[in-house]
Structures are given as structure tokens and as C-alpha cells.
Amino acid sequence: QKSMSDVANFGFGDAINLVESFAVLGLAFDLRNFLALLLAEETIQNAAGGQLASIAWVLALANVDCAIPSSFVSAITRIRLQKGFRDNDLGRIYMWHLWMVHEMKKPGLPPQHVNDFMTGIAQSDNSGENAGLLNDIVMNMTPGLQYMTEVKSNSGIIVDLLVKVNGRTLAVFVENPGHFCGRRPCGSLLLKRRQIQSVDNLELLSIPYYDWINLQNIQAKRQYLSIVLGDNVAGSCRTNDKGGELGPPIDSEDVKKAGRRQHSDDASEDSV
């Protein structure tokens, strides 16, 4: 933190690496000190694809209103045409685009390129690591609940579990160890939590792995889910690989109609 107060000590490559490290760990920092360096014409013109993606992602995560030079978008488009981005880079830039358009109310990527970058969301998301945890959660939900797993929201963000409870459609994130540093949410999770609410207008609930693994028996799991989901019914486990015993799949149109609830974040005070 002390070294970050003296921006003059950094070249643009070191500055990008430093602010990205803080962002990945979900640590608070004042990005405004670095904006002039990160968005300088020399930086933009000399940055590689991964560096531009890092700048874009950090801007979205820090949520700092700032002027984005047109050369920044031009550089992103140029490198995309040169196939200079990895899948993870595409996902990061798409998250920046969502931030610009939906949160900053400013132009983001050129419309003709949006879908190219949206494809990177699935590759940059580690939801696939949740399969065992997600299956266990579904098996212990209250019978009769309508649900869908691994749903792509309107914005392209993957929702692990979409559940309809008492007329409310809830987006549930099943958060595995890869989403945390200790018990501190990493930057990618913080941004995903924020955008599923601000962009998709979905009511969000989180089930972190460290809560679930401490539930020692089926009764404890059912009680936990009943409290978290607010269904107020003690579930009884019914096994069916297709999930049919839990009730019919939720209508995907409910994603568009869902309400919003402010998510109470578990991050400590020094999180981004």
C-alpha cells in the first residue's frame, strides 16, 4: 500500500501488474492514483492484449468513474482482429463492457464486436468447478421447488442455480475455494456479484463452500437451505439424477422478470 502512493516509481507494466494483484485479491486500493498512467496514450499503444484486458477488468472492479480515451477501445478492437487475446482476456473485457454500458451509462465495445467478447465469459468463469457442491445442494433442496442449474443470464454471466421460491426468482452463486483468498472474496467474485444485480437485476444469494462443508448431516443441510432460500420448509431428500423429483424446471423467462435484492457481502471492510 505504501509503494502504491508513489506512482512515479512505476513503469506502466509494473503499474498494471500491481493494481491487478490488488484487484485479484479483492484488496482495497485507490485506483485514481494510477489512472493517468494506465490510460496514457503511450500505455495504450504499447500494451499487449493481456495488459489491456487487465486494465479494463481493474477499471470495472474498482468502479471509478473516469474518462476512457477512444484509443483504448480502438486498441482493444485492433488486438482482437489480430487474435491477440486469450479466452480469459475476452471475458475480462466483456465485464468491462457491461460496466461501461450498464453502470457508467457510457459507450463500451462497438456493437459488432460485443458477441466476440461475450464468448469469453464461460472460459473466464470457474463455475465448472462447482459441480459436486452444486449437485449436493440441489439434492437437499425442498421438494417441489422449481429450479435450473448453470443458467446463462441475459448479460452472459453464468448463474449456478436459479430457484423460484414463493413467487421470487433467486440467483444463487455456489462459491468454491477458487473464489476466495482464505475467506476473502477474490476480485472476480466481487465483480460477478455486483454485476448480476446491477446488470441483470437479479436477486442474489451466495452459498460459500466454507458454510456448506461444515454442515455435518442431511438435516443440517436442509435446514441451512431452508433458511437461505427462505422457503421455511424442511426439505426431504429425493434422489433423481435429472432433478425431476424437486419439481419442474423454472421457466427461463423468469430470469427476465426477476426482482432485485441488495446482496449482503461477506467481504471484510478492506475489500474492493
Side-chain angles (χ1 to χ4, degrees), residues 24-187:
V24 166
L25 294 173
L27 296 171
F29 62 94
D30 192 347
L31 184 64
R32 291 170 296 181
N33 293 338
F34 286 83
L35 287 176
L37 178 57
L38 295 179
L39 297 176
E41 285 298 322
E42 181 181 2
T43 302
I44 293 171
Q45 296 305 319
N46 293 322
Q51 291 175 320
L52 280 178
S54 293
I55 294 172
W57 182 74
V58 168
L59 288 170
L61 178 61
N63 200 24
V64 175
D65 191 3
C66 59
I68 307 294
S70 59
S71 57
F72 186 73
V73 178
S74 298
I76 288 174
T77 303
R78 170 175 50 82
I79 292 177
R80 174 56 178 160
L81 293 174
Q82 297 170 351
K83 301 187 184 301
F85 290 119
R86 299 166 300 178
D87 288 338
N88 185 61
D89 297 334
L90 296 177
R92 283 184 159 196
I93 292 173
Y94 181 71
M95 300 294 272
W96 168 82
H97 168 77
L98 293 178
W99 170 69
M100 287 289 288
V101 172
H102 295 279
E103 298 187 77
M104 293 294 101
K105 310 301 181 184
K106 298 178 180 180
L109 294 167
Q112 66 270 28
H113 295 299
V114 171
N115 285 339
D116 289 344
F117 288 88
M118 186 177 181
T119 59
I121 283 285
Q123 284 79 13
S124 63
D125 194 305
N126 63 354
S127 297
E129 300 175 15
N130 295 346
L133 184 58
L134 178 58
N135 288 340
D136 194 24
I137 288 170
V138 168
M139 290 292 293
N140 285 282
M141 289 196 310
T142 300
L145 289 180
Q146 293 179 296
Y147 73 98
M148 289 181 70
T149 58
E150 297 181 339
V151 180
K152 180 181 287 188
S153 69
N154 293 329
S155 70
I157 297 173
I158 304 299
V159 177
D160 299 309
L161 183 62
L162 202 65
V163 188
K164 194 166 186 178
V165 180
N166 298 328
R168 299 156 58 212
T169 301
L170 308 176
V172 181
F173 283 168
V174 177
E175 299 166 352
N176 62 55
H179 288 119
F180 296 88
C181 300
R183 290 198 176 183
R184 181 197 307 278
C186 292

Side-chain angles (χ1 to χ4, degrees), residues 216-229:
Q216 299 298 318
N217 53 55
I218 293 175
Q219 183 179 1
K221 291 177 180 180
R222 294 171 187 163
Q223 183 176 12
Y224 175 90
L225 288 174
S226 182
I227 293 171
V228 169
L229 296 177

